[in-house]
């Protein structure tokens, strides 16, 4: 079943602008992860944030996590055409792997050159 | 190094036939996952293997689905008596520890 819900479903911005995507979830989690998917094929792991962390950075990516609101955001700064893709948040409830990841429906990001 | 590989890349089959999908995880990764991605359901977790341990099959959508992992490495997902609603992209992922999962390119299955 879907847990994460990304918002917006689609986002189109100009190259160089910042892109912000949000994710809400319903249950308690061990960690939350963001993935990128190009052309409907394999997903690429971007960043993982644990339930006891509030913010994490990786290059042009910034992720925040608010466990009290059960929400996370992904910020991509100085966007590039190559950032065009679908972005998914995924929650890991148990931290033990047995439940797999629960993915949201994704945000489709288009970067206009 | 080599990533997760899956075969075949695409599979077209007739309703009622059996299909077998293969996943080669990253060498040394003990955890292996199968997911299904379809337009209506999004990304759906199917099954998880940790080493050679017996998997929890409760996430499989029906008893027509089965999966095995031989020698703690290669895994096969078998769908018996395929139905049109089985059409989807089947994704495999592996990880060394719990955390980031590394996905293969997927097998796109079309059941006619």
């Amino acid at each position: 079943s879907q847990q994460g819900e990304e918002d917006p479903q689609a986002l189109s911005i100009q190259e160089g602008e910042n892109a912000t995507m949000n994710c809400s979830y319903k249950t308690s989690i061990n960690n939350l992860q963001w993935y990128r998917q190009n052309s409907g094929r394999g997903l690429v792991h971007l960043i993982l944030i644990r339930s006891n962390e509030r913010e994490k950075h990786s290059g042009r990516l910034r992720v925040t996590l608010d466990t009290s609101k059960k929400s996370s955001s992904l910020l991509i700064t100085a966007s590039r055409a190559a950032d065009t893709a679908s972005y998914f948040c995924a929650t890991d409830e148990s931290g033990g792997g047995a439940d797999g990841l629960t993915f949201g429906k994704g945000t489709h990001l288009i970067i206009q050159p | 190094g080599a990533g997760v590989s899956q075969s075949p890349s695409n599979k077209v089959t007739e309703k009622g036939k059996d299909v077998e999908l293969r996943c080669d995880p990253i060498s040394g990764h003990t955890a292996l996952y199968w997911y299904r991605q379809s337009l209506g359901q999004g990304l759906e977790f199917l099954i998880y293997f940790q080493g050679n341990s017996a998997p929890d099959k409760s996430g499989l959508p029906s008893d027509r689905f089965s999966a095995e992992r031989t020698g703690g490495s290669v895994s096969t997902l078998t769908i018996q008596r395929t139905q049109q609603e089985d059409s989807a992209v089947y994704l495999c992922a592996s990880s060394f520890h719990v955390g980031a999962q590394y996905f293969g390119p997927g097998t796109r299955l079309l059941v006619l």
Side-chain angles (χ1 to χ4, degrees):
Chain A
S1 62
Q2 294 291 328
Q3 154 137 272
E5 292 290 336
E6 287 90 344
D7 167 51
Q9 290 186 341
L11 179 62
S12 179
I13 60 173
Q14 294 295 122
E15 193 167 20
E17 294 180 338
N18 296 340
T20 299
M21 288 159 272
N22 302 296
C23 167
S24 60
Y25 57 93
K26 297 174 183 171
T27 67
S28 61
I29 61 172
N30 177 279
N31 65 78
L32 183 144
Q33 304 176 34
W34 284 90
Y35 287 81
R36 183 185 72 220
Q37 185 177 41
N38 293 87
S39 306
R41 300 296 278 203
L43 290 93
V44 174
H45 178 261
L46 296 176
I47 198 164
L48 179 153
I49 186 165
R50 302 193 187 284
S51 60
N52 61 353
E53 297 176 309
R54 292 296 166 259
E55 187 171 311
K56 205 159 183 181
H57 296 254
S58 177
R60 294 184 295 113
L61 306 180
R62 172 178 168 253
V63 167
T64 63
L65 178 65
D66 186 335
T67 53
S68 67
K69 295 181 180 178
K70 292 185 166 59
S71 67
S72 174
S73 68
L74 171 67
L75 168 68
I76 303 173
T77 61
S79 62
R80 304 167 182 169
D83 295 329
T84 294
S86 291
Y87 291 81
F88 296 87
C89 71
T91 53
D92 182 348
E93 295 175 30
S94 65
D99 298 322
L101 295 175
T102 304
F103 285 84
K105 293 187 187 291
T107 292
H108 186 50
L109 175 65
I110 297 173
I111 308 299
Q112 306 278 4
Chain B
V4 177
S5 61
Q6 292 186 246
S7 60
S9 298
N10 296 280
K11 177 72 177 179
V12 180
T13 191
E14 293 178 347
K15 178 182 172 181
K17 295 283 179 68
D18 297 351
V19 296
E20 196 171 274
L21 313 179
R22 176 187 169 105
C23 172
D24 277 277
I26 293 172
S27 178
H29 280 191
T30 56
L32 187 148
Y33 308 80
W34 283 98
Y35 295 85
R36 177 170 72 173
Q37 186 174 28
S38 56
L39 282 175
Q41 298 296 322
L43 268 152
E44 178 186 2
F45 168 66
L46 299 179
I47 195 167
Y48 157 74
F49 293 88
Q50 176 59 260
N52 293 320
S53 301
D56 176 358
K57 301 179 182 180
S58 59
L60 295 175
S62 79
D63 57 9
R64 297 183 294 103
F65 287 70
S66 62
E68 63 178 21
R69 188 179 187 191
T70 53
S73 181
V74 172
S75 177
T76 54
L77 177 69
T78 301
I79 309 173
Q80 295 178 309
R81 304 181 303 282
T82 52
Q83 303 293 313
Q84 289 181 331
E85 61 262 29
D86 299 334
S87 296
V89 177
Y90 289 82
L91 293 162
C92 174
S94 70
S95 66
F96 181 57
H97 290 299
V98 172
Q101 295 182 17
Y102 295 84
F103 282 79
T107 293
R108 192 179 301 273
L109 175 66
L110 177 61
V111 182
L112 300 176

